């Protein structure tokens, strides 16, 4: 006699409670985990809050309540001093520096130099990553291994040779002189983009070759659009890195027209006519200088984290 087995059919898309994934963590473990995450967030964000608190404090009264979590005698004077909107009498009354920085000129200089570096470096590094990942040529992997050794060379070792070269070329105190050493390949950027180029489906390239497309057309019309997300991500990361650079712009750009924002803040800090730095004004300048970076991170933060996780770079 034939037997029939009846199986309950459950509607698709619906799960019973037994099918739900169960977390192995105990309630106490989850609570401790949330406490640890909260502690990390507080430790990470507290320096930014302290910068804001100092920027809104009276520089003269600030040291009377050094442990206060709120601005001491709240004022917009530090912001006005940095932007050149405060009079000498008001600056002296708040214990601030009477010297102002040419904030708009320094901001424009930083934008020009960082954009110049980012555009050229990412474009040329993408070409190199394409050659190291999708082009077949003898000794490719050996050359790439030797190329990666450059990641181990500290930037301080190349500082003096680069300075002598830029000086001999007559490019001191110019945008090109500041940007030139970083405009070409970056080993890290090449390595980062190569990870994504290796994931491109080669059947598209083979089809393009059969249709008679050249390498430049394959690179610019087929491969580049496929990895545009990681290219934007590394461009943002490099822009932020060079936005915070200080030592090289200090050596090469020594005129008002080529001083970057980080160097300008250093000059502002050194102006201590009353014996102590204008910490409130310095924090106000740092706060304004960080606004472009904050905007980039807020807009592209999720894309940056996703691309870094996909690349396997830790």
């Amino acid at each position: 006699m034939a037997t029939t087995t009846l199986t309950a059919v459950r509607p698709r898309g619906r799960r019973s409670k037994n099918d739900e994934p169960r977390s192995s963590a105990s309630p106490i473990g989850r609570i401790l985990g949330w406490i640890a995450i909260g502690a990390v967030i507080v430790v990470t964000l507290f320096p930014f809050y302290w910068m804001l608190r100092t920027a809104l404090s009276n520089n003269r009264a600030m040291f009377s309540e050094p442990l206060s979590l709120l601005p001491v005698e709240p004022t917009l004077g530090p912001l006005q001093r940095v932007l050149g909107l405060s009079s000498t009498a008001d600056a002296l009354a708040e214990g601030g520096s009477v010297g102002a920085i040419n904030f708009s000129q320094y901001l424009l200089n930083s934008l020009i130099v960082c954009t110049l570096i980012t555009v050229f470096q990412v474009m040329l590094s993408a070409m190199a990553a394409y050659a190291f990942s999708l082009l077949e040529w003898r000794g490719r992997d050996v050359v790439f291994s030797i190329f990666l050794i450059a990641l181990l060379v500290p930037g301080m070792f190349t500082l003096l040779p680069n300075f002598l070269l830029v000086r001999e070329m007559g490019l001191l105190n110019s945008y090109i002189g500041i940007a030139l050493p970083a405009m070409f390949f970056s080993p890290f950027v090449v390595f980062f983009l190569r990870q994504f180029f290796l994931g491109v489906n080669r059947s598209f390239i083979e089809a393009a070759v059969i249709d008679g497309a050249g390498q430049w057309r394959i690179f610019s019309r087929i491969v580049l659009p496929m990895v545009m997300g990681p290219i934007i991500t590394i461009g943002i990361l490099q822009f932020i890195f060079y936005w915070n650079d200080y030592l090289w712009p200090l050596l090469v750009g020594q005129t008002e027209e080529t001083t970057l924002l980080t160097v300008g803040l250093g000059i502002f800090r050194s102006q201590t006519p009353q014996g102590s730095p204008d910490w409130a004004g310095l924090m106000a300048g740092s706060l304004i200088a960080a606004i472009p970076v904050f905007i980039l991170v807020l807009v592209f933060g999720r894309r940056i984290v996703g691309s870094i996780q996909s690349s396997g770079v830790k």
Side-chain angles (χ1 to χ4, degrees):
M1 185 176 67
T3 59
T4 304
T5 303
L6 299 178
T7 304
V9 178
R10 186 178 301 126
R12 296 181 63 181
R14 298 182 61 182
R15 290 183 176 181
S16 67
K17 292 183 178 179
N18 293 332
D19 295 335
E20 294 291 337
R22 294 182 178 179
S23 173
S24 58
S26 64
I28 297 178
R30 284 198 294 270
I31 293 172
L32 293 177
W34 281 111
I35 292 175
I37 292 174
V40 171
I41 292 175
V42 170
V43 171
T44 303
L45 295 182
F46 185 76
F48 297 100
Y49 170 74
W50 196 255
M51 183 170 65
L52 178 64
R53 171 260 184 196
T54 306
L56 298 177
S57 297
N58 186 313
N59 193 63
R60 186 180 297 280
M62 187 170 56
F63 297 100
S64 61
E65 301 179 37
L67 299 181
S68 173
L69 293 177
L70 298 176
V72 181
E73 297 186 11
T75 176
L76 296 177
L79 294 171
Q80 294 172 342
R81 287 199 296 276
V82 171
L83 297 175
L85 303 177
S86 176
S87 64
T88 302
D90 293 338
L92 292 174
E94 293 187 359
S97 172
V98 295
I101 63 175
N102 193 348
F103 194 86
S104 58
Q105 179 67 53
Y106 300 164
L107 181 64
L108 178 64
N109 295 340
S110 293
L111 286 174
I112 293 174
V113 170
C114 293
T115 302
L116 198 61
I117 292 174
T118 302
V119 170
F120 276 89
Q121 187 185 85
V122 172
M123 181 180 65
L124 296 176
S125 296
M127 294 179 186
Y130 174 74
F132 281 128
S133 58
L134 296 177
L135 295 183
E136 298 292 340
W137 45 284
R138 182 177 296 178
R140 183 190 67 180
D141 295 338
V142 175
V143 174
F144 182 66
S145 301
I146 297 173
F147 183 74
L148 286 184
I149 295 177
L151 283 171
L152 306 177
V153 179
M156 190 63 68
F157 285 4
T158 60
L159 199 64
L160 182 58
N162 285 337
F163 177 78
L164 295 177
L165 179 62
V166 170
R167 189 187 64 179
E168 292 301 320
M169 295 173 68
L171 295 177
L172 291 178
N173 300 318
S174 67
Y175 290 143
I176 295 296
I178 300 174
L180 189 61
M183 284 174 61
F184 299 104
F185 303 108
S186 166
F188 173 74
V189 177
V190 174
F191 172 77
F192 182 89
L193 293 179
R194 181 177 177 269
Q195 302 300 105
F196 293 95
F197 279 113
L198 289 174
V200 173
N201 193 335
R202 292 177 181 266
S203 61
F204 292 105
I205 300 175
E206 293 169 357
V209 172
I210 293 174
D211 290 341
Q215 291 298 334
W216 171 251
R217 188 171 184 181
I218 294 173
F219 170 74
S220 60
R221 299 292 182 85
I222 299 175
V223 177
L224 211 55
M226 292 183 179
V227 294
M228 189 53 68
I231 287 177
I232 294 175
T233 298
I234 196 64
I236 294 170
L237 292 177
Q238 293 303 99
F239 185 91
I240 294 173
F241 176 80
Y242 290 106
W243 184 268
N244 296 323
D245 194 14
Y246 177 79
L247 185 56
W248 177 253
L250 175 66
L251 292 175
V252 179
Q254 298 181 353
T255 62
E256 188 79 4
E257 291 75 20
T258 57
T259 298
L260 302 194
L261 196 54
T262 50
V263 180
L265 290 175
I267 296 173
F268 183 80
R269 179 185 177 277
S270 63
Q271 295 172 341
T272 56
Q274 302 187 67
S276 63
D278 182 2
W279 293 113
L282 186 62
M283 290 298 106
S286 301
L287 185 67
I288 297 174
I291 288 177
V293 177
F294 281 141
I295 293 175
L296 287 175
V297 173
L298 287 176
V299 175
F300 299 102
R302 181 171 296 182
R303 181 186 291 274
I304 293 173
V305 174
S307 296
I308 292 175
Q309 289 176 339
S310 301
S311 70
V313 177
K314 302 296 184 183

